């Protein structure tokens, strides 16, 4: 019974391609997030959605577009992939949009751009 | 911009010994402090969330304290066990719900 799941787990693709990473949570949470773990192992927030509405949009290239079809799903679409996009991307969810509540993380998607 | 610093970056501790490490964060506009445990090849797992100055939380052999006035939190592990080997992440959020993670302290327990 995976609480927060991501697919695929690994993604290897050529520069210039467009790809999507999917995230689903079965916890009934209202808020979902995307994080990027960069080469220095930092976890940096990219986006957060609350009830399908974009709340946080950090300084992320507009090639990255999150889509939330419903509050249980938050997908990340990346256009024109670049070498620097190679990273591990983590999805997370929390009960409400309030950082007092703990976040539950997905297993991560390792994206490699060749 | 929030900066969350964790020290040390890496720590080797003999099994059975107790240890602690630090997370420092800007105290202005502070809202919440999170500790996560992150094992290799797994996803971060929440340990504690603290909001009030002087808060102290405990889960088994692991405890954490919070000083919001000076902007630091300590994580303590008593009687380290091999299963405690992991990276411990600290994250601080402000009242705009912006969450910033530190780089983590990588803990290795030596048998």
């Amino acid at each position: 019974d995976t609480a927060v799941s991501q697919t695929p787990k690994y993604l290897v693709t050529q520069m210039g391609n467009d790809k999507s990473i999917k995230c689903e949570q079965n916890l009934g949470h209202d808020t979902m997030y995307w994080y990027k773990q960069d080469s220095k192992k930092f976890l940096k927030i990219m986006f957060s959605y609350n009830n399908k509405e974009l709340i946080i949009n950090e300084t992320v290239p507009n090639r990255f577009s999150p889509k939330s079809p419903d509050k249980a799903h938050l997908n990340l679409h990346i256009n024109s992939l670049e070498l620097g996009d190679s990273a591990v991307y983590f999805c997370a969810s929390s009960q409400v949009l309030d950082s007092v509540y703990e976040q539950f993380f997905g297993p991560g998607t390792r994206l490699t751009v060749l | 911009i929030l900066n969350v610093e964790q020290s040390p970056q890496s720590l080797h501790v003999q099994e059975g010994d107790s240890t602690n490490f630090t997370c420092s964060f800007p105290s202005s506009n502070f809202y919440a402090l999170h500790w996560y445990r992150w094992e290799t090849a797994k996803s971060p797992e929440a340990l504690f969330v603290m909001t009030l100055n002087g808060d102290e939380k405990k889960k088994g052999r692991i405890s954490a304290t919070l000083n919001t006035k000076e902007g630091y939190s300590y994580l303590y592990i008593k009687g380290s066990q091999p299963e405690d080997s992991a990276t411990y992440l600290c994250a601080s959020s402000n009242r705009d719900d912006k969450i910033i993670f530190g780089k983590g302290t990588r803990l290795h327990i030596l048998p």
Side-chain angles (χ1 to χ4, degrees), chain A residues 42 56 90 98-100 103 106, chain B residues 31 34 43 49 93 97 99:
Chain A
F42 263 123
I56 293 174
F90 285 93
D98 186 322
S99 58
V100 168
Q103 295 186 19
Chain B
Y31 190 46
H34 297 244
S43 48
V49 181
S93 60
D97 279 319
I99 299 172

Side-chain angles (χ1 to χ4, degrees), chain A residues 44-59:
Chain A
K44 291 184 180 177
I45 191 162
M46 299 172 70
F47 304 102
S48 80
Y49 267 73
N50 181 250
N51 271 319
K52 302 195 298 175
E53 184 183 340
L54 179 65
I55 301 298
I56 293 174
N57 183 354
E58 291 298 297
T59 308

Side-chain angles (χ1 to χ4, degrees), chain A residues 9 33 35 37 40-45 56 58 90 97-108, chain B residues 4 31-32 34 36 38 41-46 49 51 89 93-94 96-103:
Chain A
K9 195 168 180 180
Y33 309 81
Y35 288 88
Q37 184 190 11
K40 296 180 182 177
K41 306 300 181 188
F42 263 123
L43 267 182
K44 291 184 180 177
I45 191 162
I56 293 174
E58 291 298 297
F90 285 93
L97 180 63
D98 186 322
S99 58
V100 168
Y101 289 86
E102 62 189 23
Q103 295 186 19
F104 292 77
F105 283 82
Chain B
V4 176
Y31 190 46
H34 297 244
Y36 287 86
W38 196 359
K42 295 186 179 179
S43 48
E45 185 183 333
V49 181
T51 56
L89 285 179
S93 60
N94 63 15
D96 299 320
D97 279 319
K98 291 202 172 180
I99 299 172
I100 305 289
F101 279 81
K103 287 185 182 179

Side-chain angles (χ1 to χ4, degrees), chain A residues 81-92:
Chain A
L81 277 155
E82 299 178 358
L83 293 176
D85 298 333
S86 294
V88 182
Y89 292 85
F90 285 93
C91 175

Side-chain angles (χ1 to χ4, degrees), chain B residues 78-97:
Chain B
K78 190 176 175 182
S80 303
Q81 299 296 309
E83 60 264 29
D84 297 329
S85 294
T87 296
Y88 291 83
L89 285 179
C90 165
S92 174
S93 60
N94 63 15
R95 294 191 177 276
D96 299 320
D97 279 319

